[in-house]
C-alpha cells in the first residue's frame, strides 16, 4: 500500500508524491484472491477467509454459492480450508438459503480427525436479494460462559455489508458468457469471409475444413454432403487436397455423419452433458479407429435455409483433449451459419435451372469467339487425333494369362505300405530313365521271401515223401498248398523288386521330396514323385469368355513368361477346349497352344501373359469394344 507524503508535498509544492508502506503478508493473499471473480472457488475462499479473520471468536466458516445451472450442486468452501468437519455449518447454510432468513443455533465444529467436537453458536445468513439469494454464509462462534464474543445480529450485519464482493460473481459469469459469444461471433465471421472468397463448392469445402481445423485445434476436420439417395458423401478433408473414398477411414467418417444427421443434432464422443440420450456408436468407432489414447470425435449437422439437413462437419482430435461445451457451442454456431451458404452453393452447382445452358454458352463463346486461340488449336488437335484413331487400323490382339505345362507327366507312387529308407532325388533334379528315385525299407520283404521259400521247400519235401509212399490223398492236399506257397513267394519277390522307385524316362522331377522323411511310414498309392519330360511342353492360355469368340485354331501369337519378360516366345493355337475356369470373379476358357521356339530354357509351371493375333481392326474399336460390349450386356439386362 502507498499514501501521500504530506510534509514533502507542503515543502516542495510539487505534485502528489507517494511513499511505500509494508504490506501485511498475512492478509495480502486473501486480497489477491478477490482480483479474479472468474475462479469462483478461489474467490469465495478468499472472501470467507477475510471475513473469518476479521471477526473475533470465529471457530470456522462456510460459504455456499449458487451455480448458474439450477440443477447443478452448490459450490461450498470452508474456513479453515482443510481438516474441518463442517456438516452442521452446511446444514445451517442450506436452511438459511432455502428459507431466505437468518438461522441461529448451536452446532459442533472442529477438526475432522477429532472424535469429540466442541459446541459453538452457528449463525447462517442468506446473501443477495430477498427473492433470490445467490449465496449463504454460516459462521461458527466460540462461546465464553455460554455467550459469544459478538452477537448474531452483529455477525449478520457485517456479512451483509461485505456481501457486495459476492455480487460480482453473477456479473463475472455474464461477462464470461458475453466474451464467449463475442469470440464465437468473430470466428463465425472469419469463416464466412473464407466461404465467400471461394466461388466453387470444392474450393469452399477445402477452405472451410482447413480453417476449422486450425481454429478449433483439431487434427482432422471433414465435410460431407447428403446425396439424393439420403447417404452422406465425403467431399473434403482438412490439410488434404485429395483422398480415397473407398477406404475404411472414409467409411467411418461417413457413418459418423449419418449418425448425427439421423438424430438431427450435434453428437460428440466422449458424450457431453448437453447430450443426455444421444447415440454415439459411430463416433466412438471413428475415435477408436485412430488408435490414439484419448482420441475424440464430434459431428455437427448442416441445415439449409429450408430446414433440411444437407451435410455434416466432423471434428477429430487425436490426443487426450476432449471437446468441451464451449467448443460444442462454437461448432453449432458455425454449422448454423455455414448451412444456408452451403445450400446456395449446392443449388448453384447443379446442372439444372439454367446452369447447364450457361456453361454450354460459355464453352461455345470460348470456342467460336474471337479470343482463346490456344483453346481452338487444342480442340482442332483433339479432333484430328480422334479422326485418326477412328480410321486408322491396328493389330487386334487378345491378351490372356498363360501357364506352361508338360505334355506328359508321370507319377511315381508307393507300391505298398512301408517305410522310406533313402531318397536319391528331390523336386528340381534332372533324372535319366532307370535312375533310382527312392528306396523303401525291404527287410520285412526279405524275411517274407525266406519264409515262403522255406515253406515251399518243406511242402516239396513232403510231396516227394508222399510220392514215394504212393499216398494219393496226401498228394491231393499238398498240391494246392505248394501252389499257394509259390504264389506268396512270387508276391514277396515282386514287392522286393518294386521297393526301388525307378525313373520311367528322362525328365525333371516336378514335385516330391523325401529327404526330410527318411524312416517315415508311407501308405500304398501315395504319390511320391512327379516327373515331366524336359523337351515336351504345352502352353495353356486362359482366354476370357468375352474374347474367346475372337480366337481360333491356327492363330499365332507370342507369350512372355514372368521369368523371361524380355524374351517373348512364338506360339500357335492348336486346341480350344470347352472347359471353363472361374478365377477372380471371371470365367475363362482353356486354350492349348504349341511353342514354336527351339533351345528354350523352360520349366513346367512357368506363368506369363500371351497375346494372340485376332486380325486387324480400327484402333477405336480395339480400345472401345470392351466398353461397348459391357453396355450392350447392361442394356439387355435392365431394359424391358
Amino acid at each position: 500500500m502507498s499514501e501521500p507524503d504530506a510534509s514533502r508535498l507542503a515543502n516542495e509544492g510539487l505534485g502528489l508524491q507517494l511513499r511505500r508502506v509494508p504490506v501485511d503478508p498475512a492478509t495480502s493473499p486473501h486480497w489477491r484472491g478477490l482480483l479474479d471473480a472468474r475462479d469462483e472457488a478461489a474467490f469465495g475462499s478468499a472472501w470467507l477467509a477475510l471475513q473469518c479473520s476479521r471477526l473475533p471468536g470465529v471457530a470456522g466458516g462456510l460459504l455456499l454459492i449458487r451455480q448458474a445451472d439450477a440443477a447443478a450442486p452448490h459450490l461450498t468452501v470452508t474456513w479453515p480450508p482443510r481438516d474441518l468437519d463442517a456438516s452442521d455449518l452446511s446444514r445451517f447454510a442450506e436452511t438459511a438459503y432455502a428459507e431466505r432468513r437468518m438461522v441461529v443455533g448451536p452446532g459442533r465444529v472442529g477438526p475432522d480427525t477429532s472424535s469429540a467436537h466442541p459446541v459453538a453458536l452457528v449463525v447462517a445468513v442468506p446473501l443477495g436479494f430477498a427473492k433470490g439469494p445467490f449465496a449463504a454464509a454460516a459462521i461458527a462462534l466460540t462461546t465464553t460462559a455460554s455467550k459469544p464474543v459478538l452477537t448474531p445480529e452483529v455477525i449478520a450485519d457485517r456479512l451483509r455489508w461485505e456481501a457486495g464482493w459476492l455480487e460480482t460473481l453473477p456479473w463475472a459469469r455474464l461477462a464470461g458468457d458475453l466474451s464467449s459469444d463475442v469470440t464465437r461471433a468473430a470466428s463465425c465471421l472469419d469463416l464466412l469471409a473464407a466461404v465467400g472468397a471461394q466461388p466453387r463448392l470444392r474450393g469452399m469445402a477445402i477452405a472451410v475444413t482447413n480453417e476449422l481445423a486450425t481454429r478449433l485445434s483439431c487434427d482432422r476436420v471433414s465435410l460431407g454432403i447428403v446425396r439424393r439417395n439420403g447417404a452422406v458423401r465425403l467431399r473434403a478433408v482438412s490439410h488434404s487436397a485429395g483422398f480415397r473414398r473407398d477406404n475404411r477411414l472414409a467409411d467411418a467418417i461417413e457413418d459418423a455423419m449419418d449418425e448425427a444427421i439421423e438424430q438431427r443434432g450435434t453428437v460428440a464422443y466422449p458424450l457431453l452433458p448437453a447430450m443426455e440420450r444421444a447415440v454415439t456408436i459411430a463416433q466412438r468407432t471413428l475415435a477408436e479407429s485412430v488408435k490414439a489414447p484419448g482420441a475424440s470425435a464430434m459431428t455437427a449437422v448442416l441445415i439449409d435455409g429450408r430446414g433440411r439437413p444437407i451435410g455434416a462437419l466432423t471434428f477429430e482430435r487425436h490426443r487426450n483433449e476432449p471437446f468441451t461445451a464451449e467448443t460444442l457451442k462454437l461448432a453449432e454456431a458455425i454449422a448454423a451459419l455455414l448451412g444456408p451458404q452451403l445450400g446456395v452453393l449446392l443449388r448453384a452447382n447443379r446442372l439444372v435451372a439454367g446452369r447447364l445452358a450457361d456453361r454450354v454458352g460459355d464453352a461455345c463463346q470460348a470456342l467460336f469467339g474471337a479470343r482463346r486461340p490456344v483453346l481452338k488449336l487444342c480442340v482442332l488437335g483433339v479432333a484430328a487425333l480422334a479422326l485418326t484413331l477412328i480410321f486408322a487400323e491396328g493389330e487386334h490382339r487378345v491378351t490372356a494369362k498363360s501357364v506352361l505345362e508338360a505334355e506328359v507327366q508321370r507319377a511315381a507312387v508307393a507300391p505298398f505300405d512301408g517305410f522310406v529308407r533313402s531318397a536319391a532325388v528331390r523336386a528340381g533334379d534332372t533324372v535319366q530313365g532307370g535312375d533310382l528315385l527312392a528306396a523303401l525299407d525291404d527287410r520285412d520283404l526279405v524275411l517274407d521271401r525266406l519264409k515262403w521259400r522255406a515253406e515251399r521247400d518243406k511242402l516239396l519235401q513232403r510231396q516227394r515223401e508222399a510220392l514215394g509212399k504212393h499216398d494219393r490223398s496226401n498228394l491231393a492236399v499238398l498240391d494246392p498248398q505248394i501252389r499257394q506257397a509259390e504264389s506268396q513267394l512270387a508276391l514277396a519277390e515282386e514287392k522286393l523288386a518294386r521297393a526301388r522307385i525307378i525313373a520311367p524316362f528322362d525328365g525333371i522331377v516336378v514335385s516330391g521330396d523325401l529327404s526330410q522323411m527318411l524312416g517315415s511310414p508311407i501308405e500304398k498309392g501315395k504319390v511320391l514323385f512327379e516327373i515331366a519330360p524336359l523337351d515336351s511342353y504345352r502352353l495353356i492360355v486362359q482366354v476370357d469368355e468375352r474374347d474367346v469368340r475372337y480366337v481360333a485354331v491356327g492363330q499365332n501369337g507370342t507369350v512372355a513368361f514372368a521369368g523371361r519378360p524380355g524374351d517373348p516366345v512364338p506360339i500357335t493355337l492348336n486346341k480350344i477346349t470347352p472347359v471353363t475356369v472361374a478365377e477372380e470373379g471371371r470365367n475363362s476358357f482353356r486354350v492349348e497352344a504349341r511353342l514354336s521356339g527351339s533351345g528354350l530354357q523352360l520349366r513346367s509351371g512357368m506363368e506369363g501373359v500371351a497375346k494372340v493375333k485376332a486380325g486387324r481392326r480400327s484402333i477405336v474399336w480395339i480400345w472401345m469394344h470392351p466398353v461397348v460390349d459391357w453396355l450392350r450386356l447392361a442394356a439387355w439386362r435392365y431394359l424391358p
Side-chain angles (χ1 to χ4, degrees):
M1 296 177 59
S2 302
E3 63 181 12
D5 190 349
S7 60
R8 189 174 182 181
L9 180 62
N11 295 332
E12 299 182 4
L14 300 176
L16 182 64
Q17 300 292 328
L18 301 178
R19 62 185 179 88
R20 296 185 179 275
V21 178
V23 179
D24 185 6
T27 59
S28 58
H30 304 318
W31 289 108
R32 286 198 297 269
L34 297 176
L35 296 178
D36 187 6
R38 291 176 297 179
D39 189 355
E40 296 184 2
F43 188 90
S45 298
W47 182 88
L48 182 62
L50 283 172
Q51 305 310 314
C52 293
S53 61
R54 294 161 65 93
L55 294 174
V58 176
L62 181 141
L63 177 63
L64 184 147
I65 303 175
R66 183 186 63 189
Q67 297 297 298
D69 187 4
H74 298 307
L75 175 63
T76 303
V77 294
T78 60
W79 183 89
R82 297 182 181 88
D83 300 333
L84 179 67
D85 185 1
S87 57
D88 288 350
L89 291 175
S90 178
R91 178 169 53 84
F92 276 86
E94 291 176 356
T95 303
Y97 179 86
E99 297 178 1
R100 294 173 173 79
R101 65 182 181 85
M102 183 179 69
V103 179
V104 180
R108 293 184 178 274
V109 179
D112 56 359
T113 57
S114 176
S115 58
H117 295 163
V119 177
L121 181 65
V122 179
V123 179
V125 182
L127 303 177
F129 305 102
K131 295 183 178 180
F134 54 84
I139 302 297
L141 301 174
T142 58
T143 59
T144 302
S146 301
K147 292 183 180 181
V149 178
L150 297 177
T151 61
E153 290 76 15
V154 173
I155 297 296
D157 290 341
R158 290 193 179 184
L159 291 177
R160 292 191 184 101
W161 275 106
E162 300 295 338
W165 286 95
L166 298 179
E167 293 180 1
T168 59
L169 294 178
W171 293 105
R173 295 171 185 171
L174 180 60
D177 295 339
L178 293 177
S179 177
S180 301
D181 294 340
V182 171
T183 303
R184 286 197 297 271
S187 300
C188 293
L189 290 177
D190 293 342
L191 184 64
L192 288 180
V195 171
Q198 301 293 333
R200 299 296 180 186
L201 179 61
R202 176 175 174 80
M204 184 275 294
I206 295 176
V208 166
T209 54
N210 292 339
E211 180 70 19
L212 290 178
T214 304
R215 190 169 294 276
L216 298 183
S217 300
C218 296
D219 296 289
R220 180 168 53 227
V221 176
S222 307
L223 173 64
I225 303 298
V226 178
R227 295 186 291 183
R228 292 185 178 180
N229 59 0
V232 176
R233 182 179 179 84
L234 190 61
R235 298 299 295 267
V237 178
S238 62
H239 309 301
S240 177
F243 58 93
R244 294 181 57 187
R245 293 188 176 92
D246 56 348
N247 55 13
R248 294 183 179 180
L249 177 60
D251 294 339
I253 295 175
E254 291 176 353
D255 292 342
M257 293 179 178
D258 281 328
E259 184 180 72
I261 290 175
E262 289 178 359
Q263 301 179 66
R264 299 295 295 269
T266 305
V267 181
Y269 174 81
L271 202 64
L272 294 175
M275 309 171 187
E276 295 182 356
R277 299 183 179 180
V279 179
T280 61
I281 298 176
Q283 310 294 327
R284 182 174 65 252
T285 303
L286 176 60
E288 292 175 351
S289 65
V290 181
K291 297 181 180 180
S296 56
M298 180 175 64
T299 301
V301 182
L302 301 175
I303 306 296
D304 64 357
R306 301 177 182 178
R308 297 178 301 179
I310 59 173
L313 281 169
T314 298
F315 309 86
E316 298 178 58
R317 287 179 178 174
H318 304 162
R319 58 190 184 276
N320 192 6
E321 186 181 345
F323 294 99
T324 61
E326 186 63 26
T327 310
L328 172 63
K329 293 180 181 179
L330 179 57
E332 290 178 343
I334 291 173
L337 291 177
L338 185 61
Q341 297 292 331
L342 183 60
V344 172
L345 279 178
L346 287 175
R347 288 191 294 271
N349 281 270
R350 291 185 300 177
L351 297 179
V352 293
R355 297 296 301 175
L356 180 61
D358 293 341
R359 293 188 178 184
V360 171
D362 294 341
C364 293
Q365 179 66 26
L367 185 59
F368 300 105
R371 304 174 61 185
R372 304 288 184 87
V374 177
L375 178 62
K376 295 180 176 60
L377 291 177
C378 292
V379 171
L380 290 177
V382 171
L385 179 61
L387 293 175
T388 302
L389 296 178
I390 291 174
F391 294 103
E393 291 186 352
E395 186 69 40
H396 176 215
R397 296 192 296 178
V398 176
T399 304
K401 295 175 60 177
S402 60
V403 60
L404 192 65
E405 293 182 356
E407 287 190 359
V408 180
Q409 188 164 304
R410 186 72 60 85
V413 300
F416 50 82
D417 295 342
F419 297 87
V420 179
R421 186 180 68 184
S422 63
V425 297
R426 58 183 179 178
D429 293 344
T430 303
V431 297
Q432 303 292 329
D435 288 351
L436 177 64
L437 301 179
L440 303 181
D441 191 358
D442 57 356
R443 289 177 293 181
D444 293 342
L445 298 177
V446 171
L447 294 176
D448 197 23
R449 182 180 62 178
L450 294 176
K451 168 189 171 183
W452 288 110
R453 182 177 294 174
E455 183 68 21
R456 184 196 62 179
D457 294 343
K458 183 177 70 173
L459 292 174
L460 289 176
Q461 179 65 26
R462 292 176 59 184
Q463 184 184 37
R464 286 193 293 271
E465 291 177 357
L467 284 174
K469 295 179 181 180
H470 301 285
D471 189 357
R472 293 180 178 273
S473 60
N474 199 10
L475 287 174
V477 174
L478 290 174
D479 187 57
Q481 292 180 356
I482 293 173
R483 289 197 302 270
Q484 180 184 4
E486 290 177 348
S487 299
Q488 292 292 340
L489 179 60
L491 178 60
E493 291 178 348
E494 179 66 19
K495 286 185 177 180
L496 192 60
R498 296 174 63 185
R500 294 168 54 85
I501 311 299
I502 306 299
F505 51 76
D506 298 347
I508 185 173
V509 179
V510 178
S511 64
D513 184 6
L514 301 179
S515 61
Q516 304 297 325
M517 300 176 59
L518 298 180
S520 301
I522 57 174
E523 299 177 355
K524 180 180 179 180
K526 179 181 180 181
V527 177
L528 304 180
F529 300 97
E530 289 184 349
I531 304 173
L534 292 172
D535 55 354
S536 180
Y537 297 100
R538 62 184 176 187
L539 186 69
I540 304 302
V541 183
Q542 300 173 359
V543 181
D544 193 275
E545 60 180 352
R546 295 174 297 181
D547 298 327
V548 72
R549 55 180 172 168
Y550 302 120
V551 299
V553 176
Q555 289 179 339
N556 299 323
T558 55
V559 59
F561 294 102
R564 305 177 57 183
D567 190 9
V569 180
I571 60 173
T572 303
L573 303 186
N574 57 3
K575 186 177 182 181
I576 301 177
T577 62
V579 178
T580 60
V581 178
E583 186 178 9
E584 297 180 358
R586 294 184 177 182
N587 292 335
S588 58
F589 282 83
R590 181 184 174 95
V591 179
E592 297 183 6
R594 182 177 62 255
L595 300 177
S596 302
S598 59
L600 301 175
Q601 299 295 327
L602 302 178
R603 291 292 183 269
S604 177
M606 296 180 66
E607 295 183 354
V609 177
K611 293 182 178 291
V612 181
K613 298 179 181 179
R616 297 187 65 82
R617 299 293 183 92
S618 170
I619 295 179
V620 173
W621 183 91
I622 294 173
W623 288 351
M624 298 301 297
H625 80 275
V627 179
V628 175
D629 292 343
W630 182 86
L631 291 176
R632 287 177 178 175
L633 184 61
W636 175 260
R637 177 183 302 172
Y638 295 110
L639 291 180

